[in-house]
Amino acid sequence: MGENRLTVAGNPVRRLSKTRLLSHLQCPRRLWLETFRPELAATSAATAAAFSAGNSVGAVARLIYGGSDGVLIDTGTDTAAALAATTEILQRGACGPLFEAAFEYGGVLIRADVLVPLRGSYRLVEVKASTALKDEHAIDCAIQNWVMSGAGLAPASVSLAHVDNRFEYRGNDDYNGLLVECDVGDTVAALDHQVPGWIRDALATLDGGEPEVGVGAQCDKPHACPFKQSCWSAGARYPVTGLGGSKAKIAALVNDGYRDIRDVPAERLAGAAQQRIRAVTCRGAARLEEAAVTFARGLAYPRFFLDFETISPAVPVWPGTRPYETLPVQYSCHIEQAPGEFTHEEFLELSLHPPLRALAEALIRTLRRTGPILTYSSYERRVIGILQNRFPDLAEALAAIAARLQDLLPVTRNHYYHPDMLGSWSIKSVLPAIAPDLDYAELEGIRDGAAAADAYLCAISAETTNEERARLEQQLRDYCRFDTLAMVSLLRFFETGGRPAGD
């Protein structure tokens, strides 16, 4: 399959993967850190969710393109085995599609998502979980085309298949129509001559010391860099990223040498919000304004503390749903009937049947007819709107619920700040400041919404054992209940004028 090593000044060099080469195109420092300091990486929940979506779309692509005729080269991380298996299959003449075929040329290793036999050759199809063709996808395909061509198997054509978010699942594992193909052959051909230069530049980066690269837009585009925190904050106690506001202006502060909020001159701040964050941080003590106390004490009883968990799978799991559609599957509600008198109600059903109708009906019963409904962010209002659209006969009752919603987030953002929140008003950032004895890190298994969504999808899978399903169910209940308990603690903190929960 062709020469598989690139030489520089007569010496063989380390192998690059397509992913590593793309990292270098985003930022040379990212490639260097991935190679020599991988322990500094911090994978976000959003990135993990994107990987999960990619895996699920890839699995469905194999059904769409191959069915029973396709061959998956499933060798895990064993690169040598993947290359050998690919060579053996191609030499004997595969009659069906190949998935994850491995090729190496010029020091770069690739795995092709889909190779479809076509008139003595193969057409290359790269599969993405996104809902549109993006500029970086063409670069991805250009690298694969260059490597395959150099290895002796030039694709007959190159296409990008992405998710069509207008697709409505009909059930029975019929996903035909989920993916839409875009021919990128012309774009790939125009990029072909640039690929060797990309490789040489990446290898030169690996042969040198850590590159000095200023922070900027490349830290988030085309993908969030897992090393962003180490580049932007460099171990500062109160990183300047906590000031919020314009990313470009924060990047300018970092590139000018500022790392800690306390070191930033007041004249470099953009407005009242940044001035407030800096003042509180420099003082080293929280600020609770009277408006938050007044808001909390003015709420009538009964009080309802509501939180939803939703799923938005790239590959729909229930008939009548679309890719990435937001679907509520769980809620928790703490109810304070009178001062200090609490009950808790919840909804969670784990079956192969969609729970949306049952959830909506249970929600109406739980929230009754009167009393403020406390949420944290506008997300719950959006979810109720989703239920209204899906179930018109329940729309009036759900609209009455929406009219009672009271959002704690703007109250908190406008009237409370603690230096340890590091510029974030996420409930997970606020809670340690107002209730040190409550910690999401103490939860088992599920500590954020993305993990909850993944756990739910795993729990309803027919392949999941009863024992595993029971474990996931408990973790889901614990996590969602913790979210509403956090709101209870926050409101009590405001109501008592800033005494930590438990005092």
Side-chain angles (χ1 to χ4, degrees), residues 108-194:
V108 180
L109 172 75
I110 67 148
R111 302 292 294 266
D113 286 340
V114 182
L115 292 180
V116 181
L118 182 66
R119 296 188 298 274
S121 182
Y122 290 85
R123 68 184 189 93
L124 170 65
V125 182
E126 174 69 5
V127 179
K128 297 295 182 185
S130 64
T131 58
L133 175 64
K134 300 178 181 180
D135 291 343
E136 63 266 24
H137 295 160
I139 295 173
D140 185 318
C141 291
I143 295 170
Q144 294 190 68
N145 179 72
W146 187 88
V147 170
M148 285 186 61
S149 298
L153 188 67
S157 67
V158 184
S159 296
L160 189 289
H162 65 78
V163 172
D164 183 353
N165 57 3
R166 299 167 299 178
F167 168 81
E168 185 173 304
Y169 179 46
R170 296 172 292 274
N172 298 317
D173 291 332
D174 181 5
Y175 289 105
N176 288 304
L178 174 69
L179 298 175
V180 58
E181 271 194 37
C182 304
D183 187 297
V184 293
D186 290 344
T187 306
V188 164
L191 292 171
D192 188 73
H193 71 284
Q194 297 185 50

Side-chain angles (χ1 to χ4, degrees), residues 329-365:
V329 295
Q330 180 183 5
Y331 71 75
S332 166
C333 185
H334 273 85
I335 304 168
E336 189 175 14
Q337 188 66 39
E341 296 179 12
F342 286 94
T343 58
H344 179 257
E345 295 186 22
E346 62 184 343
F347 178 91
L348 177 64
E349 287 185 3
L350 300 179
S351 70
L352 299 181
H353 304 290
L356 307 180
R357 176 80 190 195
L359 181 146
E361 293 173 345
L363 183 72
I364 294 169
R365 293 191 298 270

Side-chain angles (χ1 to χ4, degrees), residues 18-28 30-31 34:
K18 178 195 71 174
T19 301
R20 290 287 175 89
L21 186 52
L22 291 170
S23 290
H24 187 268
L25 290 172
Q26 178 172 347
C27 173
R30 175 173 181 171
L31 171 64
E34 283 178 346

Side-chain angles (χ1 to χ4, degrees), residues 331-413:
Y331 71 75
S332 166
C333 185
H334 273 85
I335 304 168
E336 189 175 14
Q337 188 66 39
E341 296 179 12
F342 286 94
T343 58
H344 179 257
E345 295 186 22
E346 62 184 343
F347 178 91
L348 177 64
E349 287 185 3
L350 300 179
S351 70
L352 299 181
H353 304 290
L356 307 180
R357 176 80 190 195
L359 181 146
E361 293 173 345
L363 183 72
I364 294 169
R365 293 191 298 270
T366 291
L367 297 177
R368 307 173 198 171
R369 294 181 179 273
T370 60
I373 302 168
L374 284 303
T375 66
Y376 201 83
S377 87
S378 59
Y379 192 69
E380 275 60 36
R381 185 178 298 277
R382 178 189 167 198
V383 170
I384 291 171
I386 290 170
L387 292 172
Q388 286 178 266
N389 291 333
R390 187 166 279 277
F391 305 113
D393 60 313
L394 301 178
E396 184 177 352
L398 291 167
I401 288 172
R404 294 159 52 201
L405 296 179
Q406 299 265 15
D407 190 350
L408 283 169
L409 176 56
V411 177
T412 308
R413 182 187 289 119

